[in-house]
Amino acid sequence: MANHDYGLELTNNSKVGWAFSLPRNKSCINATSICKKLCYGNGVRYQTAGQKAKRERNFRTVQFLLNEGGSQLLAQNLGSIVEAARPRDWLTAKITGTHTAIPWTLRIHDIGDFFHSVDYVEAWILTVQKYTDCKFWFYTRSFSDTDLFEALTRLASLPNCQGWLSIDSDNFESAILAKCKAPASVWNLALLQDRDLDVGVLPALSSMEKPVVIVNFPHHRGGRHVEPVRNNILTHCPAVVGGLSLKSSKDVARPCQSCTFCLP
Ligand code: SF4
């Protein structure tokens, strides 16, 4: 029987703050075997029935809205979740010309990716263009489909949005090729450093002609992480290697909101 429960909903976690998520099995079309194995989405707090149902409902709703009214209709509805992420003191800050206590940010996909849908990317482009005061960022492994990558490159080119190509030992070569095809400085790279990082990864990254920004996430679980590889082209995520602690309260800046390295 079809499920007729619809709605778009954010999550708010102690590292990222506000984020939108989709089910991995339906949206992570280019997941590598390493990311499937090491994804933090395997963790207990992402695997509760409630969290899974929320991601399924988001996906069902995205598809419904795209079918009914395309990117425009989906963008109208994504707007409501972006507004829900607006800091409490946003209006006061606007009127008084000051800054909000916590920045207005939204990560597109804490869990999930852009599946096969250019229309879905177009909806995010419309949304990001509308909410210029909000900073968006996303990580993706969807760089093998030409049309999808072209749309994602337009999304990542917007001034209030930063895109990151997620790489690991399995896919670094195709990510480097994709980055080289896109306009310089649009894409940054995000490395998932597993315990047995392929010996070719760092030489390949170091040999790129144009300067590249690379954030490194040494694989971590349960408060422990693998020893970060030493190379000055990498910036290790401080929330992983210990420089920034997780924040449980929504009323204080979360690590990503105070670090801002991955944000536009
Ligand atoms: S580097 Fe900074 S912004 Fe990026 S994921 Fe880590 S804490 Fe967040």
PDB file of all heavy atoms in Angstrom, residues 15 139 215 217 237-239 244 255-256 259-263, ligand 1:
ATOM      1  N   LYS A  15      27.244  18.398  15.374  1.00  0.00           N
ATOM      2  CA  LYS A  15      28.439  18.839  14.655  1.00  0.00           C
ATOM      3  C   LYS A  15      28.106  19.889  13.593  1.00  0.00           C
ATOM      4  O   LYS A  15      28.744  20.924  13.493  1.00  0.00           O
ATOM      5  CB  LYS A  15      29.120  17.641  13.977  1.00  0.00           C
ATOM      6  CG  LYS A  15      30.352  18.046  13.181  1.00  0.00           C
ATOM      7  CD  LYS A  15      30.928  16.902  12.381  1.00  0.00           C
ATOM      8  CE  LYS A  15      32.047  17.394  11.498  1.00  0.00           C
ATOM      9  NZ  LYS A  15      32.192  16.637  10.282  1.00  0.00           N
ATOM     10  N   TYR A 139      28.537  17.828   0.150  1.00  0.00           N
ATOM     11  CA  TYR A 139      29.569  16.884  -0.315  1.00  0.00           C
ATOM     12  C   TYR A 139      28.867  15.928  -1.282  1.00  0.00           C
ATOM     13  O   TYR A 139      27.716  15.564  -1.058  1.00  0.00           O
ATOM     14  CB  TYR A 139      30.150  16.081   0.856  1.00  0.00           C
ATOM     15  CG  TYR A 139      30.620  16.946   2.005  1.00  0.00           C
ATOM     16  CD1 TYR A 139      29.733  17.339   3.000  1.00  0.00           C
ATOM     17  CD2 TYR A 139      31.939  17.372   2.086  1.00  0.00           C
ATOM     18  CE1 TYR A 139      30.149  18.148   4.052  1.00  0.00           C
ATOM     19  CE2 TYR A 139      32.372  18.171   3.131  1.00  0.00           C
ATOM     20  CZ  TYR A 139      31.470  18.564   4.119  1.00  0.00           C
ATOM     21  OH  TYR A 139      31.888  19.365   5.144  1.00  0.00           O
ATOM     22  N   VAL A 215      39.915  19.042   2.478  1.00  0.00           N
ATOM     23  CA  VAL A 215      39.690  18.747   3.893  1.00  0.00           C
ATOM     24  C   VAL A 215      39.804  17.234   4.068  1.00  0.00           C
ATOM     25  O   VAL A 215      39.339  16.460   3.221  1.00  0.00           O
ATOM     26  CB  VAL A 215      38.318  19.277   4.372  1.00  0.00           C
ATOM     27  CG1 VAL A 215      37.156  18.586   3.670  1.00  0.00           C
ATOM     28  CG2 VAL A 215      38.174  19.139   5.889  1.00  0.00           C
ATOM     29  N   PHE A 217      39.053  13.894   6.397  1.00  0.00           N
ATOM     30  CA  PHE A 217      38.302  13.291   7.498  1.00  0.00           C
ATOM     31  C   PHE A 217      38.910  11.913   7.787  1.00  0.00           C
ATOM     32  O   PHE A 217      38.537  10.927   7.140  1.00  0.00           O
ATOM     33  CB  PHE A 217      36.826  13.131   7.130  1.00  0.00           C
ATOM     34  CG  PHE A 217      36.122  14.420   6.824  1.00  0.00           C
ATOM     35  CD1 PHE A 217      35.878  14.810   5.512  1.00  0.00           C
ATOM     36  CD2 PHE A 217      35.708  15.255   7.848  1.00  0.00           C
ATOM     37  CE1 PHE A 217      35.239  16.004   5.230  1.00  0.00           C
ATOM     38  CE2 PHE A 217      35.057  16.455   7.576  1.00  0.00           C
ATOM     39  CZ  PHE A 217      34.827  16.827   6.271  1.00  0.00           C
ATOM     40  N   CYS A 237      39.960  17.870   9.542  1.00  0.00           N
ATOM     41  CA  CYS A 237      38.747  18.412  10.174  1.00  0.00           C
ATOM     42  C   CYS A 237      38.949  18.483  11.691  1.00  0.00           C
ATOM     43  O   CYS A 237      39.182  17.456  12.336  1.00  0.00           O
ATOM     44  CB  CYS A 237      37.558  17.517   9.845  1.00  0.00           C
ATOM     45  SG  CYS A 237      36.089  17.919  10.817  1.00  0.00           S
ATOM     46  N   PRO A 238      38.842  19.677  12.287  1.00  0.00           N
ATOM     47  CA  PRO A 238      39.084  19.786  13.729  1.00  0.00           C
ATOM     48  C   PRO A 238      38.022  19.082  14.587  1.00  0.00           C
ATOM     49  O   PRO A 238      38.290  18.747  15.735  1.00  0.00           O
ATOM     50  CB  PRO A 238      39.090  21.302  13.983  1.00  0.00           C
ATOM     51  CG  PRO A 238      38.340  21.895  12.846  1.00  0.00           C
ATOM     52  CD  PRO A 238      38.557  20.979  11.674  1.00  0.00           C
ATOM     53  N   ALA A 239      36.841  18.864  14.006  1.00  0.00           N
ATOM     54  CA  ALA A 239      35.819  18.150  14.783  1.00  0.00           C
ATOM     55  C   ALA A 239      36.144  16.656  14.867  1.00  0.00           C
ATOM     56  O   ALA A 239      35.656  15.953  15.749  1.00  0.00           O
ATOM     57  CB  ALA A 239      34.442  18.351  14.152  1.00  0.00           C
ATOM     58  N   LEU A 244      37.819  20.675  18.041  1.00  0.00           N
ATOM     59  CA  LEU A 244      36.483  21.243  18.293  1.00  0.00           C
ATOM     60  C   LEU A 244      35.592  20.157  18.862  1.00  0.00           C
ATOM     61  O   LEU A 244      35.517  19.065  18.303  1.00  0.00           O
ATOM     62  CB  LEU A 244      35.855  21.726  16.979  1.00  0.00           C
ATOM     63  CG  LEU A 244      36.230  23.114  16.450  1.00  0.00           C
ATOM     64  CD1 LEU A 244      35.597  23.310  15.084  1.00  0.00           C
ATOM     65  CD2 LEU A 244      35.780  24.211  17.395  1.00  0.00           C
ATOM     66  N   PRO A 255      30.174  22.902  15.803  1.00  0.00           N
ATOM     67  CA  PRO A 255      31.543  22.934  15.276  1.00  0.00           C
ATOM     68  C   PRO A 255      31.655  23.471  13.849  1.00  0.00           C
ATOM     69  O   PRO A 255      32.500  24.319  13.571  1.00  0.00           O
ATOM     70  CB  PRO A 255      31.990  21.476  15.375  1.00  0.00           C
ATOM     71  CG  PRO A 255      31.228  20.948  16.543  1.00  0.00           C
ATOM     72  CD  PRO A 255      29.889  21.636  16.515  1.00  0.00           C
ATOM     73  N   CYS A 256      30.796  23.006  12.949  1.00  0.00           N
ATOM     74  CA  CYS A 256      30.904  23.491  11.565  1.00  0.00           C
ATOM     75  C   CYS A 256      30.572  24.980  11.461  1.00  0.00           C
ATOM     76  O   CYS A 256      31.118  25.679  10.600  1.00  0.00           O
ATOM     77  CB  CYS A 256      29.986  22.699  10.638  1.00  0.00           C
ATOM     78  SG  CYS A 256      30.540  21.005  10.408  1.00  0.00           S
ATOM     79  N   CYS A 259      33.812  26.646  12.956  1.00  0.00           N
ATOM     80  CA  CYS A 259      34.997  26.380  12.126  1.00  0.00           C
ATOM     81  C   CYS A 259      34.868  27.067  10.764  1.00  0.00           C
ATOM     82  O   CYS A 259      35.752  27.794  10.340  1.00  0.00           O
ATOM     83  CB  CYS A 259      35.159  24.867  11.947  1.00  0.00           C
ATOM     84  SG  CYS A 259      36.257  24.372  10.611  1.00  0.00           S
ATOM     85  N   THR A 260      33.772  26.807  10.090  1.00  0.00           N
ATOM     86  CA  THR A 260      33.369  27.378   8.779  1.00  0.00           C
ATOM     87  C   THR A 260      34.302  27.009   7.602  1.00  0.00           C
ATOM     88  O   THR A 260      34.147  27.547   6.512  1.00  0.00           O
ATOM     89  CB  THR A 260      33.219  28.938   8.802  1.00  0.00           C
ATOM     90  OG1 THR A 260      34.505  29.553   8.889  1.00  0.00           O
ATOM     91  CG2 THR A 260      32.342  29.399   9.954  1.00  0.00           C
ATOM     92  N   PHE A 261      35.252  26.105   7.829  1.00  0.00           N
ATOM     93  CA  PHE A 261      36.174  25.768   6.734  1.00  0.00           C
ATOM     94  C   PHE A 261      35.430  25.231   5.502  1.00  0.00           C
ATOM     95  O   PHE A 261      35.805  25.532   4.361  1.00  0.00           O
ATOM     96  CB  PHE A 261      37.196  24.732   7.212  1.00  0.00           C
ATOM     97  CG  PHE A 261      38.278  24.444   6.212  1.00  0.00           C
ATOM     98  CD1 PHE A 261      39.319  25.325   6.022  1.00  0.00           C
ATOM     99  CD2 PHE A 261      38.252  23.287   5.440  1.00  0.00           C
ATOM    100  CE1 PHE A 261      40.313  25.077   5.074  1.00  0.00           C
ATOM    101  CE2 PHE A 261      39.243  23.029   4.497  1.00  0.00           C
ATOM    102  CZ  PHE A 261      40.269  23.926   4.327  1.00  0.00           C
ATOM    103  N   CYS A 262      34.396  24.468   5.712  1.00  0.00           N
ATOM    104  CA  CYS A 262      33.683  23.854   4.582  1.00  0.00           C
ATOM    105  C   CYS A 262      32.579  24.749   4.017  1.00  0.00           C
ATOM    106  O   CYS A 262      31.961  24.404   3.022  1.00  0.00           O
ATOM    107  CB  CYS A 262      33.064  22.526   5.001  1.00  0.00           C
ATOM    108  SG  CYS A 262      34.284  21.287   5.451  1.00  0.00           S
ATOM    109  N   LEU A 263      32.324  25.856   4.696  1.00  0.00           N
ATOM    110  CA  LEU A 263      31.230  26.727   4.280  1.00  0.00           C
ATOM    111  C   LEU A 263      31.726  27.742   3.245  1.00  0.00           C
ATOM    112  O   LEU A 263      32.918  27.993   3.154  1.00  0.00           O
ATOM    113  CB  LEU A 263      30.648  27.452   5.505  1.00  0.00           C
ATOM    114  CG  LEU A 263      29.652  26.652   6.353  1.00  0.00           C
ATOM    115  CD1 LEU A 263      30.246  25.411   6.962  1.00  0.00           C
ATOM    116  CD2 LEU A 263      29.047  27.529   7.445  1.00  0.00           C
TER     117      LEU A 263
HETATM  118  S1  SF4 B   1      36.433  21.096   8.647  1.00  0.00           S
HETATM  119 FE1  SF4 B   1      35.177  22.434   9.915  1.00  0.00          FE
HETATM  120  S2  SF4 B   1      33.381  22.963   8.659  1.00  0.00           S
HETATM  121 FE2  SF4 B   1      34.382  21.177   7.713  1.00  0.00          FE
HETATM  122  S3  SF4 B   1      33.319  19.384   8.582  1.00  0.00           S
HETATM  123 FE3  SF4 B   1      35.115  19.784   9.903  1.00  0.00          FE
HETATM  124  S4  SF4 B   1      34.322  21.113  11.532  1.00  0.00           S
HETATM  125 FE4  SF4 B   1      32.824  21.159   9.863  1.00  0.00          FE
END
